[in-house]
Each structure stands twice: as C-alpha cells, then as structure tokens.
Amino acid sequence: MKKTINKTSLNGFINYGMVIAAYAVIQLLIGGKLISNSLQSLLVPACCYIVMTVSLNLTVGILGELSLGHAGFMSLGAFSGIVSSILLQDVIPSPLLRLAAAMVIGALAGALGGLVVGVPVLRLQGDYLAIVTLAFGQIIKNIIMVLYVGVDEKGLHMAVKADSFYLSDTGTVIIKGPMGAVGVTKLASFTAGFLLIMVTLLVVQNLVNSRAGRAIMALRDNRIAAESVGINVTKYKLMAFVISAALAGSAGALFGLNYSSTVASKFDFNASILVLVFVVLGGLGSIRGSIIAAALLYVLPELLRGFDIAEYRMLIYAIILILVMLITNNPAIQNFINAKFKKKRKGAVK
C-alpha cells in the first residue's frame, strides 16, 4: 500500500527543512566572507529569539493564554547557565559539553520558574494571568540586580548586599549585583543555536501533534467544553507553560554565554513585549511564522543600518502590528485579499 504524509507531518518536515537550509546557506556565506562581522554577531541572539518566539507561541498561540513575563524565564536560564558553566570548568573541560550542560541547567531553571509561577496562577485567565506573569518578570530582574554570586576554594557564595559578600583572594566573582555577570567565557556558537532550534521544533511539534497537544488546543478553543469531557485543565495548562518556560531557559543560557558580560536589564519588560510582537506578526499558533518573523525582525535593524532608521525599529514594529490587527480583524479586507489571490491563481492556471 502506498503511504501518504498527512498535512501536519508535511508542515513539520517543511519547518525542519527550512531551518536546515537557512543554516547551510548562512554557513556558506560565512565561509565565503559574504556576511559582515556585525551581522555574524547577531546570529546566536537571533537563534535565541527564534526559540523564545516558538516557545512563547506554545503559551499564547496554542494554549491561548497571554504571558508578558517570558523574558523572566530567559533571565533565569541565562544566569543559571553562566554560573553553572563557571562551576563546571574543572569537571567538564570540553567547552562544547560545558555549553550543553549549561543549556540543560538553564532549561531546568526555566522549568522550575514556570512551575513556581504556573501552579498558583494558571487558574487565572486573560488580563489577570498577563499581569501576574508581567510581575514575575519584573521580580526576577530586580532580584538578579541585587544578587552577588562568587566561588572560591570554600564553594559557592551568594548574597544580596555587597557588604555581606566575601570571597577569598583566589575567588571568582560571577554575578556582581547591578553590573550583572562579568568575566564570562563565551561558549555559544551559531551551530549550537541551530541545534537548539531543531530541538525546540522537535519538542513543540511533537507536543502539538500528540494527544496532550490536542487537549491543550481544546482548552484554548473552549475551556468549558473541554472540562465537560474530562480534560484536566490544570494539568495540561501547566504542561504547556512549563515546557514553554524550559525552552526559554535554554535559550537564555545560550544567550548569556554569547557575551563576556550580561546584565539583568537585557531581560526587562521590553524584551518580553518584543518576543510577543514576533509571535503576533508571525501568526498565533504558526510555528513557521514564528521562525520567520523572529529571524527577519531581529536582524532587520542591522540590515537597515545604511538607511538610518534602525533606531525607529520599535515604531516600525508598532505600525506593522497595528496593520496586522486591522487586517486580521476586518472581514472585508480579508475577503478582498482572498479574492485577489483567487484571481491570480486562476490567471496562472490559464
């Protein structure tokens, strides 16, 4: 019998193929020295934001809950990954293995944060949940800004005040309060970012196409109907939320290990809103749209540097977002666009 690939599986394979093709093309361009150094420096952060966007789409687009504190999970992963990479220097001498371990630890830290937030607040809905996640992101940022972490021969030391933070002369300061993580050995690479995207796609797409994924989407479409047929609301909402937070934590670890110093202000409210903009512009529930939107919009300021409009990036995003909302919520405009596409298709067939 002839086996056919269903539409869902085909879309998944297209997503994998698109990411692999983009990685191969970029590597060829780098080998041919056709990409500037400034653009190359954006490749790892772009991979991190692609993972962030896909993971947030799991919460916003597939689960149907608005989260405004996704950067908080990213910051948990970033600083836990940085701390663990320094602590594991003697145990794991290989930079690649140490990076992998740091990303796993970052994912665990993000998942723990998602669990801590999710258990008490996922009973909330809509604006209430959005406000709580926003508050969580701000709390994490403010805690990290007063946190001092270091290591010496006596072990790991932590304090929330500089006056009570003591290290021996041979000790190493890892997180220095408002100055953030300093003296970090950069371990991140574009290949690691590519692999993280592939793992993220594997996790999210398999979840969406599973029985649990169908339950999650049922909750999004009609919570009362889903409850009436026996779907455990708390279980599946928490599952999606924790997985989303774990992926954000792993992206944060990769992001933090891409710089020699990282401050908590990089993971503020604006970072969460930026990722949310990528999700909305890419299409709620569309994994492929999230990948394309995050990749293009993150490197857009660098591509537009010669036009002196990079500083208006957020204004451009806001205008595009307004236009997208007007189009998607106006049936007349949608019917006009669909009619135009149908005419073009008929003309092409002829």
Side-chain angles (χ1 to χ4, degrees):
M1 290 180 66
K2 197 174 183 181
K3 292 185 178 180
T4 58
I5 300 176
N6 60 42
K7 186 177 180 181
T8 302
S9 299
L10 180 61
N11 283 331
F13 288 131
I14 291 173
N15 292 339
Y16 291 128
M18 180 180 66
V19 173
I20 293 171
Y23 173 74
V25 169
I26 292 173
Q27 289 287 37
L28 289 174
L29 293 175
I30 293 174
K33 297 182 179 180
L34 298 175
I35 296 182
S36 64
N37 291 331
S38 57
L39 192 56
Q40 286 186 44
S41 67
L42 296 178
L43 292 178
V44 172
C47 290
C48 296
Y49 272 92
I50 289 172
V51 173
M52 286 286 291
T53 306
V54 173
S55 64
L56 182 60
N57 210 347
L58 177 59
T59 300
V60 178
I62 296 170
L63 177 60
E65 297 290 353
L66 181 60
S67 173
L68 297 180
H70 211 53
F73 303 121
M74 189 182 188
S75 65
L76 283 176
F79 288 98
S80 60
I82 290 170
V83 172
S84 61
S85 69
I86 293 175
L87 293 178
L88 294 173
Q89 280 181 347
D90 296 332
V91 180
I92 307 177
S94 170
L96 293 177
L97 293 178
R98 198 159 69 249
L99 173 62
M103 290 168 65
V104 171
I105 293 172
L108 292 175
L112 181 61
L115 188 64
V116 170
V117 176
V119 169
V121 307
L122 279 181
R123 298 178 185 275
L124 303 175
Q125 297 180 39
D127 298 340
Y128 300 103
L129 178 62
I131 292 171
V132 172
T133 54
L134 168 62
F136 167 77
Q138 294 301 107
I139 289 170
I140 292 299
K141 187 193 78 170
N142 290 329
I143 289 176
I144 294 174
M145 288 186 69
V146 299
L147 189 64
Y148 291 82
V149 179
V151 61
D152 58 16
E153 64 276 2
K154 294 181 180 179
L156 189 67
H157 298 265
M158 299 177 63
V160 293
K161 291 183 179 180
D163 298 339
S164 57
F165 181 65
Y166 300 102
L167 286 177
S168 67
D169 295 336
T170 58
T172 302
V173 178
I174 303 175
I175 301 177
K176 202 173 182 180
M179 295 178 64
V182 294
V184 180
T185 301
K186 294 190 284 186
L187 302 176
S189 66
F190 178 47
T191 299
F194 160 72
L195 293 175
L196 181 59
I197 293 174
M198 295 298 287
V199 170
T200 301
L201 289 178
L202 182 67
V203 171
V204 173
Q205 290 183 162
N206 283 329
L207 175 64
V208 171
N209 298 328
S210 67
R211 181 180 178 181
R214 291 190 290 273
I216 290 169
M217 288 184 283
L219 292 173
R220 175 196 64 190
D221 295 336
N222 193 318
R223 174 172 174 165
I224 296 174
E227 281 184 301
S228 68
V229 296
I231 293 177
N232 190 324
V233 175
T234 303
K235 172 186 173 182
Y236 289 109
K237 286 179 73 173
L238 190 61
M239 179 188 297
F241 199 72
V242 169
I243 292 174
S244 175
L247 293 172
S250 62
L254 183 67
F255 186 87
L257 291 170
N258 188 54
Y259 302 97
S260 58
S261 63
T262 302
V263 294
S265 58
K266 286 186 178 180
F267 311 101
D268 59 3
F269 174 67
N270 289 330
S272 294
I273 293 300
L274 183 63
V275 178
L276 182 61
V277 168
F278 293 162
V279 171
V280 174
L281 293 181
L284 295 178
S286 173
I287 296 174
R288 189 179 311 145
S290 294
I291 297 171
I292 296 171
L296 290 180
L297 295 176
Y298 188 80
V299 301
L300 187 63
E302 179 64 27
L303 297 176
L304 297 177
R305 179 169 290 185
F307 299 95
D308 294 328
I309 60 174
E311 61 186 48
Y312 303 108
R313 179 183 66 174
M314 296 307 294
L315 176 61
I316 295 172
Y317 289 168
I319 293 172
I320 295 174
L321 190 60
I322 291 171
L323 293 176
V324 169
M325 292 298 99
L326 289 174
I327 292 172
T328 55
N329 289 282
N330 192 322
I333 297 177
Q334 290 180 13
N335 293 334
F336 175 78
I337 294 173
N338 291 333
K340 287 290 183 182
F341 272 113
K342 286 181 181 178
K343 286 182 180 179
K344 287 184 179 180
R345 286 177 183 174
K346 288 181 180 178
V349 171
K350 292 178 181 178

